[in-house]
mmCIF file of all heavy atoms in Angstrom:
data_model
loop_
_atom_site.group_PDB
_atom_site.id
_atom_site.type_symbol
_atom_site.label_atom_id
_atom_site.label_comp_id
_atom_site.label_asym_id
_atom_site.label_seq_id
_atom_site.Cartn_x
_atom_site.Cartn_y
_atom_site.Cartn_z
ATOM 1 N N ARG A 49 93.452 90.125 111.873
ATOM 2 C CA ARG A 49 92.534 91.272 111.578
ATOM 3 C C ARG A 49 91.167 90.843 111.090
ATOM 4 O O ARG A 49 90.137 91.310 111.521
ATOM 5 C CB ARG A 49 93.255 92.217 110.615
ATOM 6 C CG ARG A 49 92.442 93.418 110.201
ATOM 7 C CD ARG A 49 93.276 94.487 109.528
ATOM 8 N NE ARG A 49 94.199 95.032 110.482
ATOM 9 C CZ ARG A 49 93.865 96.064 111.322
ATOM 10 N NH1 ARG A 49 92.697 96.640 111.219
ATOM 11 N NH2 ARG A 49 94.753 96.548 112.159
ATOM 12 N N PHE A 52 88.659 90.031 113.797
ATOM 13 C CA PHE A 52 88.074 91.191 114.476
ATOM 14 C C PHE A 52 86.994 91.824 113.629
ATOM 15 O O PHE A 52 85.886 92.123 114.067
ATOM 16 C CB PHE A 52 89.165 92.244 114.734
ATOM 17 C CG PHE A 52 90.013 91.966 115.946
ATOM 18 C CD1 PHE A 52 91.161 91.167 115.851
ATOM 19 C CD2 PHE A 52 89.683 92.421 117.197
ATOM 20 C CE1 PHE A 52 91.906 90.880 116.970
ATOM 21 C CE2 PHE A 52 90.466 92.140 118.291
ATOM 22 C CZ PHE A 52 91.628 91.397 118.191
ATOM 23 N N MET A 111 100.722 98.413 123.382
ATOM 24 C CA MET A 111 99.833 98.454 122.171
ATOM 25 C C MET A 111 98.985 99.685 122.275
ATOM 26 O O MET A 111 98.779 100.281 123.357
ATOM 27 C CB MET A 111 98.892 97.213 122.272
ATOM 28 C CG MET A 111 97.963 97.184 123.402
ATOM 29 S SD MET A 111 96.520 96.080 123.174
ATOM 30 C CE MET A 111 97.227 94.492 123.243
ATOM 31 N N LEU A 112 98.476 100.109 121.141
ATOM 32 C CA LEU A 112 97.521 101.166 121.095
ATOM 33 C C LEU A 112 96.154 100.468 121.001
ATOM 34 O O LEU A 112 95.812 99.852 120.016
ATOM 35 C CB LEU A 112 97.727 102.042 119.841
ATOM 36 C CG LEU A 112 96.692 103.193 119.692
ATOM 37 C CD1 LEU A 112 97.001 104.204 120.774
ATOM 38 C CD2 LEU A 112 96.767 103.758 118.315
ATOM 39 N N GLY A 113 95.406 100.571 122.056
ATOM 40 C CA GLY A 113 94.098 99.928 122.187
ATOM 41 C C GLY A 113 93.031 100.873 121.575
ATOM 42 O O GLY A 113 93.201 102.097 121.608
ATOM 43 N N ALA A 114 91.938 100.298 121.062
ATOM 44 C CA ALA A 114 90.826 101.081 120.506
ATOM 45 C C ALA A 114 89.530 100.377 120.809
ATOM 46 O O ALA A 114 89.429 99.179 120.656
ATOM 47 C CB ALA A 114 91.043 101.186 119.006
ATOM 48 N N PRO A 126 85.782 96.495 121.289
ATOM 49 C CA PRO A 126 87.177 96.724 120.941
ATOM 50 C C PRO A 126 87.391 96.420 119.460
ATOM 51 O O PRO A 126 86.823 95.513 118.949
ATOM 52 C CB PRO A 126 87.982 95.759 121.821
ATOM 53 C CG PRO A 126 87.019 94.662 122.106
ATOM 54 C CD PRO A 126 85.651 95.286 122.145
ATOM 55 N N LEU A 127 88.274 97.211 118.859
ATOM 56 C CA LEU A 127 88.774 96.925 117.486
ATOM 57 C C LEU A 127 90.137 96.267 117.629
ATOM 58 O O LEU A 127 90.730 96.275 118.736
ATOM 59 C CB LEU A 127 88.823 98.195 116.656
ATOM 60 C CG LEU A 127 87.543 99.045 116.543
ATOM 61 C CD1 LEU A 127 87.766 100.223 115.630
ATOM 62 C CD2 LEU A 127 86.401 98.193 116.103
ATOM 63 N N MET A 128 90.672 95.819 116.538
ATOM 64 C CA MET A 128 92.027 95.247 116.616
ATOM 65 C C MET A 128 93.018 96.303 117.029
ATOM 66 O O MET A 128 93.128 97.373 116.418
ATOM 67 C CB MET A 128 92.434 94.657 115.310
ATOM 68 C CG MET A 128 93.852 94.100 115.373
ATOM 69 S SD MET A 128 94.165 92.693 114.347
ATOM 70 C CE MET A 128 95.917 92.706 114.191
ATOM 71 N N PRO A 129 93.758 96.038 118.150
ATOM 72 C CA PRO A 129 94.719 96.991 118.608
ATOM 73 C C PRO A 129 95.888 97.106 117.661
ATOM 74 O O PRO A 129 96.093 96.176 116.850
ATOM 75 C CB PRO A 129 95.230 96.426 119.945
ATOM 76 C CG PRO A 129 94.361 95.204 120.249
ATOM 77 C CD PRO A 129 93.742 94.805 118.971
ATOM 78 N N GLU A 130 96.628 98.216 117.690
ATOM 79 C CA GLU A 130 97.863 98.347 116.854
ATOM 80 C C GLU A 130 99.024 98.066 117.820
ATOM 81 O O GLU A 130 99.315 98.802 118.735
ATOM 82 C CB GLU A 130 97.953 99.734 116.273
ATOM 83 C CG GLU A 130 99.107 100.027 115.436
ATOM 84 C CD GLU A 130 99.226 99.048 114.185
ATOM 85 O OE1 GLU A 130 98.161 98.691 113.626
ATOM 86 O OE2 GLU A 130 100.387 98.709 113.798
ATOM 87 N N PRO A 131 99.802 96.986 117.496
ATOM 88 C CA PRO A 131 100.919 96.737 118.393
ATOM 89 C C PRO A 131 101.979 97.855 118.265
ATOM 90 O O PRO A 131 102.173 98.387 117.197
ATOM 91 C CB PRO A 131 101.538 95.402 117.823
ATOM 92 C CG PRO A 131 100.507 94.882 116.892
ATOM 93 C CD PRO A 131 99.627 96.004 116.442
ATOM 94 N N ILE A 132 102.532 98.236 119.415
ATOM 95 C CA ILE A 132 103.633 99.204 119.386
ATOM 96 C C ILE A 132 104.894 98.358 119.588
ATOM 97 O O ILE A 132 105.214 97.909 120.695
ATOM 98 C CB ILE A 132 103.508 100.235 120.535
ATOM 99 C CG1 ILE A 132 102.164 100.953 120.428
ATOM 100 C CG2 ILE A 132 104.645 101.241 120.515
ATOM 101 C CD1 ILE A 132 101.854 101.948 121.508
ATOM 102 N N PHE A 151 97.304 102.958 112.811
ATOM 103 C CA PHE A 151 95.983 102.548 113.233
ATOM 104 C C PHE A 151 94.890 103.170 112.413
ATOM 105 O O PHE A 151 93.939 102.539 111.865
ATOM 106 C CB PHE A 151 95.788 102.796 114.741
ATOM 107 C CG PHE A 151 94.352 102.500 115.163
ATOM 108 C CD1 PHE A 151 94.033 101.168 115.510
ATOM 109 C CD2 PHE A 151 93.358 103.460 115.130
ATOM 110 C CE1 PHE A 151 92.720 100.879 115.865
ATOM 111 C CE2 PHE A 151 92.046 103.146 115.453
ATOM 112 C CZ PHE A 151 91.746 101.846 115.843
ATOM 113 N N LYS A 154 94.494 101.863 108.831
ATOM 114 C CA LYS A 154 93.871 100.570 108.812
ATOM 115 C C LYS A 154 92.352 100.669 109.173
ATOM 116 O O LYS A 154 91.539 99.975 108.609
ATOM 117 C CB LYS A 154 94.557 99.554 109.739
ATOM 118 C CG LYS A 154 95.982 99.227 109.282
ATOM 119 C CD LYS A 154 96.722 98.438 110.389
ATOM 120 C CE LYS A 154 98.188 98.307 109.998
ATOM 121 N NZ LYS A 154 98.974 97.668 111.080
ATOM 122 N N PHE A 293 91.229 98.125 129.460
ATOM 123 C CA PHE A 293 92.495 97.677 129.965
ATOM 124 C C PHE A 293 92.371 97.092 131.426
ATOM 125 O O PHE A 293 92.975 96.053 131.706
ATOM 126 C CB PHE A 293 93.541 98.802 129.972
ATOM 127 C CG PHE A 293 93.835 99.344 128.571
ATOM 128 C CD1 PHE A 293 94.163 100.647 128.359
ATOM 129 C CD2 PHE A 293 93.812 98.456 127.483
ATOM 130 C CE1 PHE A 293 94.463 101.183 127.149
ATOM 131 C CE2 PHE A 293 94.091 98.965 126.187
ATOM 132 C CZ PHE A 293 94.403 100.314 125.999
ATOM 133 N N ALA A 319 98.586 88.669 122.964
ATOM 134 C CA ALA A 319 97.871 89.904 123.378
ATOM 135 C C ALA A 319 96.707 90.164 122.458
ATOM 136 O O ALA A 319 95.607 90.549 122.922
ATOM 137 C CB ALA A 319 98.856 91.092 123.414
ATOM 138 N N MET A 320 96.858 89.980 121.159
ATOM 139 C CA MET A 320 95.855 90.175 120.179
ATOM 140 C C MET A 320 94.681 89.144 120.328
ATOM 141 O O MET A 320 93.491 89.477 120.248
ATOM 142 C CB MET A 320 96.318 90.063 118.733
ATOM 143 C CG MET A 320 97.398 91.068 118.314
ATOM 144 S SD MET A 320 96.781 92.732 118.227
ATOM 145 C CE MET A 320 97.945 93.502 119.276
ATOM 146 N N MET A 323 92.583 90.083 123.245
ATOM 147 C CA MET A 323 91.639 91.139 122.944
ATOM 148 C C MET A 323 90.519 90.578 122.055
ATOM 149 O O MET A 323 89.358 91.061 122.200
ATOM 150 C CB MET A 323 92.377 92.271 122.192
ATOM 151 C CG MET A 323 91.623 93.551 122.013
ATOM 152 S SD MET A 323 91.207 94.384 123.568
ATOM 153 C CE MET A 323 92.602 95.458 123.800
ATOM 154 N N LEU A 324 90.772 89.642 121.232
ATOM 155 C CA LEU A 324 89.751 89.026 120.368
ATOM 156 C C LEU A 324 88.762 88.300 121.315
ATOM 157 O O LEU A 324 87.526 88.382 121.156
ATOM 158 C CB LEU A 324 90.363 88.026 119.400
ATOM 159 C CG LEU A 324 89.423 87.341 118.413
ATOM 160 C CD1 LEU A 324 88.709 88.354 117.526
ATOM 161 C CD2 LEU A 324 90.208 86.325 117.561
#
Side-chain angles (χ1 to χ4, degrees):
R49 179 165 292 275
F52 282 87
M111 65 159 71
L112 180 72
L127 305 184
M128 176 147 161
E130 181 61 32
I132 304 177
F151 175 85
K154 293 170 189 173
F293 299 147
M320 298 292 127
M323 192 62 91
L324 183 63

